[in-house]
Structures are given as structure tokens and as C-alpha cells.
């Protein structure tokens, strides 16, 4: 990727914990976000249809890819039935009576991609990230800005928890369980980093295909955007 791309690093501790981990970064600039629309709703509905076909009556946690994520969560001390990885959590919502939430145009696009491929996908505002991003095991002292009762509060991860962080603190807790409010995509966001994360047995070609589909959907939603797909990185 070009030199202006964000620096991303996975610590050796995380690599040892989950040798089957890999990720793909998609960076987009010149985006136009806004409220959820009919195009996003159609993507979410189609993603739910694809998920239902893939699962064929099984629960999300019985899919081999989700089972691998559950094993990774257990390895760093998290209970995967209480704090589910983002792909499993979205899949459960997709299959529930209320269906998938509508957030904003960009979030709807990457949530649809996550559900369609049953893969965790995160979206961060590039202009709000400070320094590079790192996937590490937390000390427990790092600040994590989140919301509670309608107000912004600062929490801290558990020691040993796997977190994404930048120079200002944690951006996502428990790998991809809960995103912080500081770097989330809002309707004012114009630049974004999308992280697609896999565990073996999901193949690298499947990860690349998901990244290409995300880029295509973003380009369709924002025709003037400049989108760059990075190389697949594995542990």
C-alpha cells in the first residue's frame, strides 16, 4: 500500500495466542457518509439471506469460522458466550425478529459485508486515529472511551485482554467485541480504515474476496472515494 497508509502491527503475544489469525485492511478516503438509506437496507437484507443460506439451520456458533473465534476468545480469558466476537453478535441479530440495525451508510455497508461472509469487520475514522494501530494484550491501564447511559465514560480493559489500540488508547476491546466512541464512523466521517479479520479455517482467498466485495460496495456508495486494499497479513 502507499506510504500514506496507516501503520498496523500485531504483537508477538497475540501471534502466539492465535497462530491462525490474519487480517486485511481497506482504506478509503473522500467518502460521503450520511443516514441509513434504501441501498444500505438492501445490502443488509441480502446479507441476511446469504447468512441464512450458509448456516442452513445451524446456529452461528456452530460455523467453523465462528467456532475458531470462540476458541481464540477463550484463550485470552474471555467467555465467548458473554462477550461475542462482532461477526457472531451481528449474525445473531440478523437472525432475530428485529433484524440488523441501521446505523449510517458506511456502517451499514461494512455490517452487511460482515454478515454475508460471517467475518468480523471493523470501521475506524482515519482522521481520529492517533499514530499507528496495534493489536496487543492489554496491561489493563489503557483508556477506553465508551458510552454508558448516554454519556461518554472511560473504562479500562482487563489485563491480558486482546485489544486494538492507537497512541491515545484502546479503539476496540476484546479483539473486535466493542468499538470505542472516539474513532467510530459518524455521518461526518470522510476517511476510514476497515479491518477484516479471520481465523483459520477461513482461507486467505476468501478473505481477499471479502475485501474486494467491501471495496466494490464502498465505491458504489461513494463513487468519488479513493479506495486501497492492503495485503493479507497473517500471524
Amino acid at each position: 500500500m502507499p506510504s500514506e497508509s496507516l501503520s498496523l502491527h500485531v504483537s508477538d503475544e497475540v501471534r502466539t495466542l492465535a497462530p491462525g489469525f490474519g487480517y486485511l485492511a481497506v482504506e478509503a478516503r473522500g467518502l460521503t457518509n450520511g443516514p441509513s438509506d434504501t441501498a444500505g437496507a438492501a445490502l443488509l437484507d441480502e446479507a441476511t439471506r446469504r447468512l441464512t443460506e450458509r448456516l442452513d439451520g445451524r446456529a452461528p456458533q456452530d460455523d467453523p469460522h465462528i467456532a475458531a473465534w470462540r476458541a481464540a476468545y477463550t484463550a485470552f480469558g474471555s467467555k465467548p458466550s458473554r462477550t461475542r466476537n462482532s461477526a457472531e453478535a451481528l449474525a445473531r441479530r440478523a437472525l432475530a425478529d428485529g433484524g440488523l440495525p441501521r446505523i449510517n451508510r458506511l456502517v451499514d455497508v461494512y455490517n452487511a459485508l460482515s454478515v454475508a461472509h460471517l467475518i468480523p469487520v471493523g470501521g475506524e475514522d482515519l482522521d481520529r486515529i492517533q499514530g499507528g494501530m496495534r493489536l496487543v494484550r492489554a496491561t489493563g491501564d489503557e483508556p477506553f472511551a465508551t458510552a454508558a447511559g448516554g454519556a461518554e465514560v472511560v473504562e479500562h480493559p482487563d489485563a491480558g485482554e486482546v485489544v486494538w489500540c492507537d497512541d491515545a488508547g484502546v479503539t476496540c476491546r476484546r479483539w473486535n467485541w466493542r468499538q470505542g466512541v472516539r474513532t467510530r464512523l459518524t455521518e461526518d466521517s470522510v476517511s476510514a480504515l476497515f479491518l477484516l479479520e479471520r481465523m483459520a479455517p477461513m482461507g486467505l482467498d476468501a478473505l481477499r474476496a471479502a475485501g474486494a466485495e467491501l471495496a466494490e460496495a464502498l465505491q458504489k456508495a461513494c463513487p468519488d472515494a479513493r479506495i486501497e486494499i492492503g495485503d493479507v497479513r497473517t500471524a
Side-chain angles (χ1 to χ4, degrees):
M1 297 178 72
S3 59
E4 67 175 353
S5 296
L6 185 76
S7 170
L8 296 164
H9 175 72
V10 178
S11 73
D12 289 341
E13 285 185 313
V14 173
R15 294 177 186 277
T16 299
L17 177 78
F21 174 66
Y23 70 88
L24 177 66
V26 176
E27 293 188 20
R29 294 173 174 81
L31 296 166
T32 50
N33 201 5
S36 297
D37 56 19
T38 55
L43 283 175
L44 291 167
D45 290 343
E46 172 62 12
T48 299
R49 186 198 65 76
R50 290 168 64 181
L51 172 70
T52 302
E53 184 177 274
R54 170 178 176 150
L55 292 177
D56 193 24
R58 296 174 299 161
Q61 64 266 27
D62 295 328
D63 184 273
H65 190 221
I66 297 302
W69 274 106
R70 282 184 159 233
Y73 269 49
T74 300
F76 69 79
S78 183
K79 295 182 178 179
S81 294
R82 291 182 58 188
T83 54
R84 296 181 176 90
N85 71 82
S86 63
E88 181 181 349
L90 272 178
R92 288 170 62 90
R93 294 194 69 171
L95 299 173
D97 290 341
L100 288 165
R102 273 58 170 165
I103 309 299
N104 60 53
R105 293 177 67 216
L106 292 178
V107 175
D108 291 351
V109 167
Y110 81 75
N111 277 351
L113 191 286
S114 174
V115 170
H117 290 265
L118 205 52
I119 177 176
V121 182
E124 307 283 354
D125 190 320
L126 270 172
D127 296 326
R128 295 178 178 271
I129 297 172
Q130 299 187 32
M133 287 186 62
R134 302 174 298 282
L135 186 66
V136 301
R137 301 197 71 173
T139 65
D141 297 326
E142 300 92 342
F144 175 70
T146 187
E152 186 171 320
V153 296
V154 175
E155 298 177 351
H156 300 277
D158 298 327
E161 181 183 321
V162 175
V163 297
W164 279 103
C165 61
D166 65 3
D167 291 352
V170 174
T171 58
C172 196
R173 283 196 60 186
R174 295 196 176 110
W175 216 312
N176 47 47
W177 166 65
R178 177 176 292 171
Q179 184 183 34
V181 298
R182 175 171 56 87
T183 58
R184 66 184 175 185
L185 292 174
T186 70
E187 292 184 16
D188 297 325
S189 298
V190 295
S191 299
L193 167 73
F194 300 94
L195 279 174
L196 291 73
E197 300 179 295
R198 63 71 101 161
M199 290 284 176
M202 181 181 185
L204 300 184
D205 285 344
L207 181 60
R208 292 186 184 97
E213 185 176 326
L214 175 61
E216 182 179 356
L218 290 169
Q219 200 76 72
K220 186 174 181 179
C222 307
D224 295 328
R226 304 180 305 280
I227 300 170
E228 299 164 355
I229 304 175
D231 297 327
V232 170
R233 303 295 178 90
T234 61

